[in-house]
Amino acid sequence: MTDESTTPITLQNSAIRQKLRSHFEVPHEQHNDRWDHLWKESFLPWDKGFPNPALIDALNDRQDLIVPAHKSGTARRRRALVPGCGKGYDVLLLASYGYDAYGLDVSESAIQACEAFARTEFASYPIADPEYGRGSYDFVCGDFFKSDWLQSSGIDDSGFDLIYDYTFLCALPAAWRPDWAKRMSDLLAFDQTSTLICLEFPTYKEPSTGGPPHGLKPEMYIAHLSRPGEYVKYNDEGYPILDGEPSKFENEKALVRVGHWQPERTHDMGMGTDWISVWKRAG
């Protein structure tokens, strides 16, 4: 008999993870095609059907940390990015809060699903600020680590004022984490108010067990975002090896964690184990 009350990992979820793990036992350069294959066969165990409540609460309650959708004294809307956007629930949420929001996914099938969902459901998202109304949304098919999707979408090189990562980093091979951090820093607008929000998941999973989803502990975000693009050594258990405080190994692209808390609400799988971290540019 299995006691499922002691862990968020159920037998069903274990079977799903095993399928995902075997599905991605291919060279890393084939992973993009493997994600598209899952969308085509509608195997979407990560799809919860609605935005994560933790993001809603952060936008409502932590305005002291998160860049607002409108720049004071101007009509300009700030720009938000959700890489690995799935069906686009969080993209539409950010647009309902007034941001001009972009969802990026490597799967053309995912982007088609986003567009179909948005056509029928965007109007049902409450407007957060009636004075400013909704922002726009756009869904883009492209590789996060390349720049052609920015150019083809007409997005200039000033970057994004807000970036939101949830179930994106955990979907990537561990070897890609330095590039993930560097790309996040490169895409974030070069302004002290610009904000990266990471909903850290799955923190309950041991890193050594593989993925996707790969187990992520809060210290992994610190290890990589404090020195984007640099190699980080890991021990045999899959934990980063760091010497000293993050400030001792920051580089010129470093992001600094300015907020870290456990959300009162989140998706069921992360309840009690999810964390939210908020990051700004160093200095």
Side-chain angles (χ1 to χ4, degrees):
M1 180 178 293
T2 301
D3 181 5
E4 295 183 3
S5 67
T6 61
T7 173
I9 306 174
T10 65
L11 290 174
Q12 179 185 12
N13 290 325
S14 295
I16 289 171
R17 278 195 306 279
Q18 181 55 46
K19 177 172 179 176
L20 285 171
R21 188 179 298 113
S22 61
H23 185 75
F24 286 95
E25 288 178 345
V26 296
H28 291 169
E29 59 268 22
Q30 298 179 24
H31 278 207
N32 289 354
D33 290 338
R34 301 300 278 176
W35 284 112
D36 192 51
H37 183 268
L38 292 178
W39 277 93
K40 286 178 178 177
E41 68 174 28
S42 296
F43 182 75
L44 310 173
W46 57 86
D47 190 320
K48 305 304 179 186
F50 55 92
N52 195 304
L55 177 59
I56 297 173
D57 293 344
L59 292 171
N60 289 336
D61 302 336
R62 298 312 308 263
Q63 296 175 14
D64 58 319
L65 294 178
I66 297 172
V67 63
H70 299 88
K71 189 171 183 178
S72 179
T74 74
R76 175 181 175 266
R77 294 185 187 274
R78 288 192 166 96
R79 196 156 54 193
L81 173 68
V82 182
C85 65
K87 280 191 180 176
Y89 310 123
D90 298 318
V91 178
L92 300 184
L93 177 73
L94 289 167
S96 75
Y97 274 75
Y99 299 92
D100 285 338
Y102 292 80
L104 175 69
D105 206 285
V106 74
S107 166
E108 183 65 45
S109 300
I111 295 303
Q112 292 170 2
C114 289
E115 293 169 343
F117 180 82
R119 280 194 296 270
T120 60
E121 300 300 328
F122 183 43
S124 68
Y125 280 65
I127 298 174
D129 187 342
E131 180 181 354
Y132 290 102
R134 294 187 176 95
S136 64
Y137 67 83
D138 193 13
F139 296 107
V140 183
C141 184
D143 187 330
F144 174 75
F145 297 99
K146 299 179 181 179
S147 296
D148 53 349
W149 59 271
L150 290 167
Q151 299 159 1
S152 64
S153 301
I155 302 171
D156 62 41
D157 59 4
S158 62
F160 294 88
D161 305 286
L162 185 150
I163 305 177
Y164 174 60
D165 183 304
Y166 174 54
T167 67
F168 181 59
L169 178 58
C170 71
L172 302 176
W176 293 5
R177 290 173 190 165
D179 291 335
W180 166 87
K182 181 179 182 298
R183 189 64 171 147
M184 282 293 187
S185 180
D186 288 344
L187 288 171
L188 195 65
F190 203 81
D191 188 284
Q192 292 300 314
T193 65
S194 300
T195 308
L196 167 64
I197 304 174
C198 295
L199 209 173
E200 299 171 359
F201 168 91
T203 66
Y204 60 78
K205 187 180 179 187
E206 283 301 314
S208 60
T209 58
H214 295 271
L216 294 174
K217 304 296 183 179
E219 54 262 42
M220 294 178 178
Y221 292 86
I222 293 174
H224 289 283
L225 290 172
S226 62
R227 48 181 179 185
E230 295 185 21
Y231 172 75
V232 173
K233 187 176 181 179
Y234 282 75
N235 63 24
D236 292 341
E237 287 72 43
Y239 288 81
I241 300 173
L242 298 175
D243 296 320
E245 295 298 317
S247 59
K248 294 182 179 179
F249 45 78
E250 289 172 0
N251 66 22
E252 68 277 3
K253 293 183 178 292
L255 302 180
V256 176
R257 193 175 72 181
V258 297
H260 195 228
W261 69 92
Q262 281 198 283
E264 294 183 3
R265 301 192 303 155
T266 188
H267 287 320
D268 289 345
M269 273 295 292
M271 187 63 67
T273 60
D274 279 358
W275 288 81
I276 288 183
S277 56
V278 177
W279 303 81
K280 304 276 189 179
R281 291 203 174 276

